């Protein structure tokens, strides 16, 4: 594909959220087909999503079948007509292969295959002209493109690493301590190993299952008691039930607190908990709740771990299923844009306008960074849909445009 000099809308990232945006944009007006381009170094749609589901051997989604990138909520169920055995109770959660096949069908049907330009966006420089503002995107290929509007859809935030990791003084093989995002169960042989998994979210459950399936034993350590929830945030956050009150709060730090309370760290589905309890009875998993690592050192080819309660353990590997955080100050890509468009920041989250723009700009943000407007589900597929309902009108309606 030849890179044009100018594009109306540049979307940074080709994940689930960006795909949702493009289908919603095209549903509103086909006229926009030639007006946007998506940038992603992976060259294809959903590569990060597919990689993570495969690496963690996740059998099905946590969200129900109405959550997907197509504007028609029943489209996935229609697609699954001959594959109902791939919809898992409760709430018809789609199997991983079904969901991925469906997304590829969405990409084909909306003719989006050629819309991903294979490059990472490494700088975004705002250009303020008298009549209108624009952005110059500098790509990893050395090329540049000017965009009237930019939508940041780069996903997962920054990995969260516990403090004790920084205090490790011994050298260790890097694959023996890693964040869950770096674990690929398909490339490991874990037979006979004892693995420490830190974190009480669904990811630690998936990794524990994957490890014991390979013949390892697992200690699952969580700071708090493990919470059992079907979804990571209650479905009331997808509609007026909770959002009406949330949006009535004009104090952004109150909204931030509500987001924290609603997610309350990680949680496991009842189904995974049942499997972990069974594995506990079989002696394959040990669950240590309200427990934290104080110190870990790599010695004699093993992790020597000391916990706050004084207990000592030995492990072959440690996996940090400690999640990610969203902090606008940690996105180098945003720094020039924030200098040009000063934005209030509350606990790392930007205060965006109602169309998810940095104030007075044509710079849109979707995903977890948009949580002060979208609420606790901002990072999820359902949150992506809600973001589209705000972003798309500001792109297609000239009365809502800035500059
Ligand atoms: C294991 C796992 C399971 C999940 N399961 C569910 C679920 O069942 N239901 C649900 O609703 N949510 C789920 N989520 C949450 C969320 O839906 C996913 O994280 C989803 O991938 C978010 O989509 P995204 O488009 O924001 O980010 P991503 O899918 O991560 O896509 C972001 C893309 O941006 C690209 N990118 C990053 N930086 C740049 C740059 N500088 N230039 C160009 N491109 C860039 C990346 O290469 C990537 O392809 C899950 C998350 C994880 C980690």
């Amino acid at each position: 594909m030849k890179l044009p000099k100018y594009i109306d809308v540049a979307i940074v990232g080709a994940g689930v959220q960006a795909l949702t945006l493009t289908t919603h944009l095209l549903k509103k007006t086909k006229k926009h087909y030639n007006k946007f381009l998506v940038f992603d170094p992976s060259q294809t749609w959903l590569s990060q999503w597919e990689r993570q589901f495969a690496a963690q051997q996740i059998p099905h989604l946590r969200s129900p079948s109405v959550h997907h990138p197509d504007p028609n909520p029943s489209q996935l169920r229609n697609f699954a007509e001959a594959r109902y055995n791939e919809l898992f109770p409760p709430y018809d959660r789609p199997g991983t292969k079904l969901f991925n096949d469906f997304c590829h069908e969405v990409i084909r049907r909306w003719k989006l295959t050629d819309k991903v330009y294979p490059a990472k966006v490494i700088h975004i420089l705002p250009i303020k002209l008298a009549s209108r503002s624009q952005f110059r995107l500098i790509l990893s290929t050395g090329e540049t493109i000017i965009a009237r509007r930019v939508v940041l859809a780069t996903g997962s935030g920054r990995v969260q690493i516990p403090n004790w990791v920084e205090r490790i003084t011994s050298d260790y093989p890097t694959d023996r301590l890693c964040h869950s995002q770096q674990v690929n169960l398909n490339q490991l042989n874990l037979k006979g190993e004892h693995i420490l998994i830190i974190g009480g979210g669904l990811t630690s459950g998936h990794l524990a299952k994957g490890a014991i399936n390979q013949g390892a034993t697992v200690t699952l350590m969580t700071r708090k008691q493990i919470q059992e929830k079907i979804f990571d945030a209650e479905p009331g956050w997808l509609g007026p039930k909770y959002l009406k009150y949330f949006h009535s709060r004009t104090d952004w730090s109150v909204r931030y607190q509500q987001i924290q309370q609603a997610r309350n760290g990680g949680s496991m589905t009842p189904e995974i908990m049942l499997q972990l309890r069974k594995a506990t009875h079989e002696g394959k998993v040990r669950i240590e709740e309200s427990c934290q690592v104080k110190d870990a050192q790599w010695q004699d080819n093993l992790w020597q771990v000391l916990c706050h309660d004084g207990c000592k353990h030995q492990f072959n590997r440690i996996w940090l299923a400690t999640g990610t955080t969203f902090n606008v100050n940690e996105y180098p890509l945003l720094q020039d844009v924030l200098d040009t468009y000063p934005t209030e920041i509350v606990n790392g989250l930007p205060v965006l306008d109602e169309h998810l723009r940095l104030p007075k700009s044509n710079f849109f943000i979707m995903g977890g960074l948009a949580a002060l407007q979208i609420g606790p589900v901002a990072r999820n597929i359902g949150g992506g849909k809600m973001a589209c309902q705000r972003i798309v009108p500001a792109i297609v309606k000239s009365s809502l445009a800035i500059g």
Side-chain angles (χ1 to χ4, degrees), residues 251-266:
D251 182 337
W252 300 105
S253 46
V254 171
R255 287 201 194 187
Y256 180 83
Q257 294 308 331
Q258 286 188 17
I259 296 163
Q260 298 307 107
Q261 278 163 18
R263 297 195 73 91
N264 196 14

Side-chain angles (χ1 to χ4, degrees), residues 5 26 29 72 136 198 211 270 331:
K5 282 200 169 68
L26 293 175
T29 156
N72 175 357
R136 184 189 301 277
I198 312 273
Y331 284 65

Side-chain angles (χ1 to χ4, degrees), residues 30 95 362:
K30 292 269 180 333
N362 277 314

Side-chain angles (χ1 to χ4, degrees), residues 9-134:
V9 184
I11 302 172
V12 188
V16 186
Q17 295 240 355
L19 182 60
T20 309
L21 177 65
T22 54
T23 60
H24 283 70
L25 187 60
L26 293 175
K27 187 184 176 224
K28 257 291 170 262
T29 156
K30 292 269 180 333
K31 274 196 301 196
H32 271 77
Y33 187 77
N34 289 318
K35 291 190 172 181
F36 73 87
L37 257 189
V38 184
F39 296 88
D40 201 299
S42 71
Q43 315 191 8
T44 53
W45 288 102
L46 306 189
S47 54
Q48 171 84 343
W49 171 276
E50 290 183 1
R51 195 186 56 73
Q52 287 215 326
F53 270 70
Q56 296 175 19
Q57 298 176 348
I58 303 175
H60 59 74
L61 275 70
R62 190 175 195 174
S63 47
S65 59
V66 285
H67 293 183
H68 55 70
D70 194 87
N72 175 357
S74 7
Q75 200 73 32
L76 173 50
R77 273 194 71 86
N78 299 343
F79 179 80
E81 205 178 10
R83 298 170 68 173
Y84 277 145
N85 60 334
E86 292 177 64
L87 293 174
F88 292 81
Y91 302 102
D92 287 343
R93 290 164 301 162
T96 302
K97 181 160 184 344
L98 174 69
F99 186 84
N100 292 348
D101 289 350
F102 171 73
C103 288
H104 285 287
E105 208 280 314
V106 169
I107 293 163
R108 189 196 57 75
R109 187 160 30 84
W110 290 94
K111 300 186 174 58
L112 294 167
T113 313
D114 298 332
K115 281 293 189 179
V116 181
Y117 193 81
K120 182 175 178 174
V121 177
I122 52 172
H123 286 298
I124 303 176
L125 304 171
I127 311 167
K128 258 188 164 175
L129 304 171
S131 55
R132 62 167 42 180
S133 68
Q134 297 177 330

Side-chain angles (χ1 to χ4, degrees), residues 238-289:
L238 290 155
K241 186 174 174 193
Y242 296 145
L243 284 176
K244 203 169 166 212
Y245 180 74
F246 180 75
H247 288 139
S248 73
R249 303 289 91 188
T250 47
D251 182 337
W252 300 105
S253 46
V254 171
R255 287 201 194 187
Y256 180 83
Q257 294 308 331
Q258 286 188 17
I259 296 163
Q260 298 307 107
Q261 278 163 18
R263 297 195 73 91
N264 196 14
S267 61
M268 302 239 194
T269 57
E271 178 193 2
I272 281 276
M273 268 321 285
L274 193 71
Q275 295 174 26
L276 290 179
R277 283 199 196 100
K278 187 168 167 271
T280 308
H281 293 309
E282 293 165 354
K284 295 174 183 166
V285 170
R286 190 186 159 95
I287 300 179
E288 298 273 3
E289 289 172 294

